[in-house]
Amino acid sequence: LWLGHALATLMPEEPEVHALLAMMLLHDSRHEARFRSDDMILLAEQDRSLWDVDQLRAGRSELARAIDLGGRGPYVLQAAIASLHAEDEPDCRQIAALYGELALLTESPIVHLNRAVAIAEVDGPGEGLLIIDQLPLDEYRYFHSTRGELLARLGRADEAVAAYRRAVELVSDGAELRLFERRLAELVSETGPSG
């Protein structure tokens, strides 16, 4: 964050610099809510009273500055997505549209994965899964955990369990591992011992 502030001071007319700082501020504003006793807490389950509202406001101010400067690059799009995720009721249709723009700029399969998550919230898990199943991300843990969630929502419990088992195989971080193992245990208990 210190470096981001320094860059914004040195390059005050560069929209991507302000957008990068905005993205860092927006993400860091939720730092205190991300973990509880070394366990990772997903965004939807975070205690918003722990969010740093001043930092959130500062991030949105930097984003507005970037947009005022005519920015529409990858950092502007990512900061805008982060800002929308911090709304009380995130506009998933707008988030999906921004991820679509970002995908055109970056051609990143991980961006497509995130877009699929937003589309699943808008149009249902089946639509998200159609996108996800086309992505070359077999070695990416979040690909499998996301598939697992969407498969579970579709009632395809055995496939969801298999997807989470693959995610567990790929994770190395302790907090992520506990999160995935917890979700896997929930799915196994829902499907019974054969799941």
Side-chain angles (χ1 to χ4, degrees):
L1 282 173
W2 174 86
L3 181 58
H5 282 290
L7 284 172
T9 301
L10 291 169
M11 305 171 74
E13 302 303 313
E14 175 51 57
E16 281 290 274
V17 169
H18 290 283
L20 176 60
L21 177 56
M23 186 176 64
M24 291 190 306
L25 286 163
L26 290 162
H27 285 302
D28 194 62
S29 70
R30 299 185 284 105
H31 176 79
E32 294 299 320
R34 278 200 184 101
F35 293 92
R36 186 184 312 125
S37 301
D38 292 330
D39 283 334
M40 183 178 285
I41 308 299
L42 297 176
L43 177 62
E45 299 163 3
Q46 288 177 9
D47 179 353
R48 288 172 174 250
S49 70
L50 297 175
W51 289 7
D52 185 329
V53 293
D54 292 332
Q55 203 168 12
L56 193 58
R57 191 177 303 115
R60 287 182 168 145
S61 176
E62 290 293 334
L63 174 59
R65 174 78 176 134
I67 292 169
D68 288 346
L69 289 168
R72 200 66 184 181
Y75 287 133
V76 173
L77 294 171
Q78 290 176 75
I81 291 165
S83 180
L84 286 168
H85 275 302
E87 295 287 342
D88 289 337
E89 292 187 23
D91 183 342
C92 290
R93 191 171 300 281
Q94 190 175 359
I95 290 170
L98 289 169
Y99 271 126
E101 283 187 54
L102 187 59
L104 289 173
L105 287 176
T106 65
E107 299 181 0
S108 165
I110 293 173
V111 172
H112 283 288
L113 177 65
N114 287 311
R115 177 176 164 265
V117 171
I119 286 173
E121 292 300 315
V122 174
D123 297 323
E127 293 301 311
L129 197 59
L130 285 174
I131 297 166
I132 287 172
D133 282 342
Q134 304 302 312
L135 300 175
L137 291 171
D138 189 59
E139 298 302 313
Y140 187 55
R141 60 197 181 279
Y142 296 127
F143 170 78
H144 295 285
S145 63
T146 302
R147 279 192 84 245
E149 285 305 312
L150 297 185
L151 288 163
R153 290 187 204 173
L154 289 167
R156 295 161 59 181
D158 289 342
E159 292 173 83
V161 166
Y164 257 100
R165 284 189 174 137
R166 179 68 176 134
V168 165
E169 289 173 5
L170 293 169
V171 74
S172 57
D173 177 78
E176 283 185 352
L177 180 60
R178 287 190 296 278
L179 175 68
F180 288 173
E181 286 179 335
R182 209 167 40 246
R183 185 61 181 128
L184 177 58
E186 292 167 2
L187 289 167
V188 168
S189 72
E190 291 167 15
T191 60
S194 62

